[in-house]
Amino acid sequence: MSWTTLANMKRLKEIVVILLRYGFRDVARRLDLPGVSAGEAEDPPKGHLSNWSRIRHALEDLGPTFVKFGQIMSQRPDLLPAGLVAELAKLQDQVRPEPFAEVRRSLEEALGRRVEEVFSEIDEKPLASASMSQVHRAVRADDGRVAAVKIRRAGIVAKVTSDLDLMAALAHRLHENLEELRFYDIPRVVEITRYTLLRELDFSKEGRNLRIAQANLKDDSKILVPSVHPDLTNHGVLTMDLVEGRRLTELVALPPARALAMARAGLRSIVTQILHDGFFHADPHPGNLLLLDDGRVCFLDWGMVGRLMSRDRNQLIDFIKAAVDRDVEWFTEALMGFVDHPPQVDRRGLETELADMLESYYALELSQVDLGGFLSEVAETLRRYSLQVPSSFAVMIKALVTAEGTARKLYPGLNVVAEAEPLIRDLALKRSSPGALWRRLRGFARHLADFGEELPRRAVRLGDKLEQGELSIGFEHKNLEGLIDSLEGSTNRLTLGLIIASMLIASSLIITTGLKPHLFGFPALGVIGYSISGVLGLWLMITIIRSRRF
């Protein structure tokens, strides 16, 4: 792909400058990016920074799309090295607010009405400002409810789409030109980012996520999810109840008893969301939590969520139970159950590594167990064996890692395993309860009945195709290329031998006729036929001897 075909050459040059700034000249040169020459000046390559840290700083300098790319990839420990994932988790998305005149224009465009018709008040100073949007306090004109209005920045969709196209082109170049990076399948990583980021820019989806979470958590008196205002929510704007509280990042200290209660509430909520609801907040970092004066914890920013189906949650419980029971074979089997289409793998080597890992954690006290570190180590082991889990499991792992870190930031002495164990045990018992078994039995009976109803129709369709001659059977061969080559070679030699024999017989018949003209006293045509047959025969003999297949 020629870079001259890209519309935004100015943006590409900015990327080159930033790559050089952080010491990635070799990468830029191997990508054959424009503006990279042997004599071009380059900033000192930030020797005090690690490679992962330089990548993070480069993404921050590249702007909002690349920052969001890094943040999304920090949720995928199955795709990237653990060190890089940890560094990407530090990415900050705080930018200078847009002038309120531009915000007003975006808001009126999204709502299709003037701001004064919708809100009696709206603060010009934002409550929060990020690269994709900013949030303003407002009061509804119709009922006086105080709301938080999240407004998408003007032109951000077009800008992000353009950057994603450029990122995809860079990813393909990286994949083609840097063999050491092919394992990470960078083009696929960019496609995942495109899907996630464009969904996050659609605020109607975040509004739907908020409503689902509120319904799931309505019985939890310690957790709050803001209520959405559906009539003032669409692709470009999200309106919800304003929740007054303090972000965890703003707190200096809390009384120990209150800090412990809030840490427990947040951690238990995430475990319940994952294992019970199967719908969970994918990024419960301190900036996305509000601590209310009444002791409740409010989860903000539901743009990124994860989902686990019932079957997936059951597999996860089996995985946890196998780890607790120290059953390495069962633990490995449960882990392999997460993998999509597992390839041929060194099963013995994998079990040995997992056994060593489990033993190192069994030696610790429960209060010392780092649940997030354990799950991250599992993901890193799978990555080393080229095993990829579904994205839903990878997002779940990152959510648990983040939740544990957040809870321990609030209360460093929190025993994470002890807090999670009762919930996991209760869920495991509920899975084996008579009610759950009866539901599974009813589901099996329903599927069996559906199959019984469908079977006669399928049999009739099969009979019709057989009668009309439309039934075909396909075969696929694998690893037969060598046999095919051998058969083709043997057939070619046999054909050539028959041709040589035919020419010899024909030449002999011609010589016995005495047909003129003569050559060396014999019919010329017969002599020529003998000569050609002799040369071909000699070449065939030499070929067979050289191949040593005789």
Side-chain angles (χ1 to χ4, degrees):
M1 178 181 182
S2 172
W3 293 118
T4 58
T5 62
L6 296 172
N8 197 345
M9 290 300 296
K10 181 181 178 182
R11 178 62 169 152
L12 188 60
K13 289 179 180 177
E14 292 174 359
I15 292 174
V16 172
V17 169
I18 291 170
L19 287 176
L20 297 179
R21 180 182 304 161
Y22 289 97
F24 295 115
R25 169 181 289 279
D26 183 58
V27 173
R29 185 180 294 122
R30 291 170 71 178
L31 289 176
D32 193 25
L33 296 176
V36 181
S37 59
E40 189 174 356
E42 177 178 4
D43 289 353
K46 318 295 181 187
H48 63 289
L49 299 175
S50 67
N51 287 337
W52 301 146
S53 183
R54 286 190 288 132
I55 290 174
R56 171 173 66 86
H57 285 290
L59 291 175
E60 287 178 335
D61 287 1
L62 285 168
T65 306
F66 289 83
V67 168
K68 295 301 290 187
F69 167 76
Q71 290 176 333
I72 291 168
M73 284 302 100
S74 73
Q75 309 291 324
R76 299 303 303 271
D78 59 316
L79 296 179
L80 300 177
L84 179 56
V85 168
E87 194 65 36
L88 293 178
K90 301 176 185 176
L91 283 166
Q92 299 298 314
D93 191 23
Q94 298 295 324
V95 299
R96 183 178 300 174
E98 277 189 331
F100 186 71
E102 294 183 21
V103 174
R104 169 189 283 271
R105 206 162 31 244
S106 298
L107 182 56
E108 290 181 343
E109 182 181 342
L111 294 177
R113 288 181 282 171
R114 294 179 65 250
V115 169
E116 289 76 14
E117 296 176 19
V118 182
F119 300 110
S120 59
E121 297 178 28
I122 183 166
D123 292 351
E124 294 191 7
K125 182 180 178 180
L127 297 171
S129 177
S131 56
M132 305 292 174
S133 62
Q134 57 191 58
V135 181
H136 290 258
R137 177 189 177 278
V139 179
R140 291 187 59 134
D142 52 0
D143 59 14
R145 278 191 293 169
V146 180
V149 186
K150 184 176 181 180
I151 306 141
R152 194 167 63 189
R153 286 181 180 264
I156 192 64
V157 175
K159 183 176 181 180
V160 166
T161 303
S162 176
D163 270 357
L164 286 171
D165 291 339
L166 189 56
M167 196 183 294
L170 289 169
H172 283 289
R173 280 286 178 108
L174 282 170
H175 193 72
E176 291 170 2
N177 297 344
L178 277 73
E179 187 174 349
E180 59 269 29
L181 294 182
R182 286 180 189 165
F183 171 79
Y184 299 107
D185 196 358
I186 304 298
R188 177 172 173 263
V189 168
V190 173
E191 281 303 311
I192 291 171
T193 302
R194 177 186 293 272
Y195 174 79
T196 305
L197 186 49
L198 292 180
R199 283 180 62 88
E200 193 173 345
L201 280 170
D202 183 352
F203 291 168
S204 64
K205 290 183 169 57
E206 183 175 352
R208 183 187 63 188
N209 293 340
L210 278 162
R211 290 193 292 272
I212 294 172
Q214 191 176 47
N216 289 342
L217 300 173
K218 65 180 185 300
D219 296 328
D220 192 335
S221 60
K222 298 179 181 179
I223 301 297
L224 176 65
V225 178
S227 296
V228 179
H229 300 196
D231 58 324
L232 298 180
T233 296
N234 56 40
H235 300 299
V237 62
L238 171 64
T239 307
M240 53 193 159
D241 285 348
L242 178 66
V243 178
E244 302 283 357
R246 291 182 293 172
R247 292 183 186 268
L248 182 56
T249 51
E250 300 169 354
L251 290 177
V252 178
L254 280 175
R258 187 180 176 196
L260 176 59
M262 287 188 162
R264 280 177 170 172
L267 183 64
R268 289 184 176 183
S269 176
I270 286 293
V271 174
T272 301
Q273 290 172 41
I274 291 171
L275 292 178
H276 183 268
D277 303 329
F279 180 89
F280 56 93
H281 196 297
D283 194 21
H285 65 77
N288 283 338
L289 297 180
L290 281 182
L291 305 183
L292 279 59
D293 292 338
D294 60 7
R296 290 183 296 171
V297 177
C298 176
F299 283 84
L300 300 174
D301 195 354
W302 287 81
M304 284 198 293
V305 297
R307 289 182 181 273
L308 287 178
M309 304 306 291
S310 176
R311 180 186 65 255
D312 300 330
R313 300 199 297 275
N314 288 336
Q315 284 182 337
L316 184 57
I317 291 173
D318 287 339
F319 166 77
I320 295 170
K321 193 171 187 308
V324 172
D325 293 343
R326 304 190 182 193
D327 189 330
V328 177
E329 290 186 5
W330 185 18
F331 182 78
T332 305
E333 193 66 37
L335 195 56
M336 292 294 287
F338 296 155
V339 178
D340 284 328
H341 308 295
Q344 294 296 323
V345 65
D346 178 9
R347 184 68 173 259
R348 189 178 297 275
L350 178 61
E351 285 187 357
T352 300
E353 283 203 37
L354 293 174
D356 290 341
M357 182 177 64
L358 287 173
E359 289 298 332
S360 67
Y361 280 94
Y362 293 145
L364 300 174
E365 297 290 335
L366 278 181
S367 58
Q368 298 176 316
V369 172
D370 179 3
L371 182 61
F374 172 73
L375 291 172
S376 297
E377 196 171 342
V378 169
E380 179 69 16
T381 302
L382 288 175
R383 194 181 61 78
R384 281 201 306 274
Y385 280 82
S386 301
L387 298 173
Q388 291 186 347
V389 297
S391 59
S392 56
F393 280 102
V395 172
M396 176 273 299
I397 290 173
K398 182 59 179 178
L400 278 176
V401 171
T402 306
E404 179 189 24
T406 302
R408 281 188 163 148
K409 181 170 184 173
L410 193 57
Y411 190 82
L414 184 67
N415 188 334
V416 175
V417 176
E419 295 298 329
E421 187 180 14
L423 294 171
I424 295 170
R425 186 173 57 249
D426 289 346
L427 290 170
L429 288 174
K430 286 179 181 177
R431 188 180 65 163
S432 303
S433 67
L437 291 174
W438 174 244
R439 282 194 299 272
R440 287 202 292 272
L441 184 60
R442 282 192 307 174
F444 175 75
R446 185 174 62 254
H447 289 310
L448 190 62
D450 291 343
F451 177 74
E453 288 183 8
E454 184 66 21
L455 185 59
R457 287 194 291 271
R458 290 185 180 182
V460 169
R461 287 198 298 268
L462 182 63
D464 290 341
K465 287 187 176 184
L466 185 62
E467 184 177 349
Q468 296 169 11
E470 296 178 357
L471 188 65
S472 61
I473 300 175
F475 292 94
E476 179 184 0
H477 66 76
K478 293 184 178 181
N479 302 322
L480 295 179
E481 291 81 3
L483 177 60
I484 292 173
D485 291 342
S486 298
L487 288 174
E488 286 181 352
S490 300
T491 303
N492 291 339
R493 288 177 183 176
L494 181 60
T495 302
L496 183 57
L498 290 173
I499 292 172
I500 293 171
S502 300
M503 289 180 67
L504 285 172
I505 293 171
S507 299
S508 299
L509 291 173
I510 291 171
I511 286 177
T512 59
T513 63
L515 184 68
K516 293 182 180 181
H518 285 185
L519 184 64
F520 306 118
F522 298 98
L525 193 58
V527 172
I528 293 171
Y530 272 133
S531 300
I532 295 173
S533 301
V535 171
L536 291 175
L538 182 62
W539 175 81
L540 182 59
M541 187 181 300
I542 292 172
T543 303
I544 293 172
I545 292 172
R546 280 184 174 178
S547 67
R548 299 190 178 186
R549 294 178 181 174
F550 48 85

